[in-house]
Amino acid sequence: ELLLAENVITAQATLREPGSGLAVGRTVVRHDLDSGTGSADLLVDQLTFGRQLQPDTLTTLAHGIIANAFGAWHGTGRIDWNAQAVTSTGHFSTDAFDFAAAFGPVKGLSGTVNFTDLLGLVTAPGQRFRIAQINPGIVVYDGELSYQLQPGHLLVVNGAKWPFLDGTLT
């Protein structure tokens, strides 16, 4: 749906993965032609990964990093613009996400990613994920990972820890 009224363009659309046609989210866009200001709200009610959809189907950034993903994500993003700047934020969560990575399989990843720059994929410091199980060679359970995504697609791991035998694996 696209509408032009009083020099303001508004649009609503469903975003689809081109190959399968699966809905991955919705967007609501508003742009004031007089001031040059606008916004786009991104709404992800339930983005489900599985046989029909994988992360590398949506972005080449995931290729070789994550595979065999199963689970759902939900959240919102916002992009604002004016003559001086473009800013973006977002918050996306999962309750149980499983995937394979170079360091081994991960089961039951849960948490929220808080983007301070959604377009640049930059997060606030101190992001945390709970991990039900990870197997980098020895299976460990009920861990927590602290991380940050920095400009240039740099992942900084601040630390991780799991209960292990009678102690803690850090």
Side-chain angles (χ1 to χ4, degrees):
E1 174 181 310
L2 179 65
L3 179 65
L4 173 60
E6 298 179 20
N7 234 18
V8 174
I9 299 170
T10 56
Q12 296 181 27
T14 298
L15 304 172
R16 297 186 180 279
E17 190 279 314
S20 66
L22 290 172
V24 296
R26 297 175 289 123
T27 187
V28 178
V29 179
R30 182 183 186 286
H31 182 76
D32 185 317
L33 294 171
D34 291 330
S35 66
T37 62
S39 63
D41 289 308
L42 306 171
L43 312 163
V44 177
D45 298 323
Q46 183 161 316
L47 177 57
T48 302
F49 293 98
R51 283 190 214 146
Q52 290 186 308
L53 183 68
Q54 286 293 303
D56 65 355
T57 308
L58 298 178
T59 175
T60 57
L61 293 174
H63 185 72
I65 304 295
I66 181 173
N68 301 324
F70 289 90
W73 288 81
H74 61 276
T76 60
R78 171 108 179 171
I79 303 167
D80 291 292
W81 59 85
N82 59 37
Q84 291 76 39
V86 175
T87 59
S88 61
T89 59
H91 311 280
F92 297 90
S93 301
T94 185
D95 296 324
F97 188 64
D98 301 342
F99 61 95
F103 52 81
V106 175
K107 293 186 183 284
L109 180 99
S110 63
T112 300
V113 181
N114 297 294
F115 290 97
T116 56
D117 177 1
L118 180 59
L119 293 174
L121 298 177
V122 175
T123 66
Q127 301 290 300
R128 296 196 181 283
F129 276 132
R130 299 282 309 150
I131 302 171
Q133 177 183 322
I134 189 169
N135 185 352
I138 298 173
V139 179
V140 290
Y141 301 91
D142 300 321
E144 184 175 88
L145 170 73
S146 173
Y147 69 96
Q148 181 179 6
L149 296 173
Q150 293 184 344
H153 306 124
L154 178 66
L155 170 65
V156 175
V157 175
N158 300 317
K161 73 174 159 177
W162 290 264
F164 190 69
L165 299 174
D166 289 334
T168 301
L169 179 64
T170 304

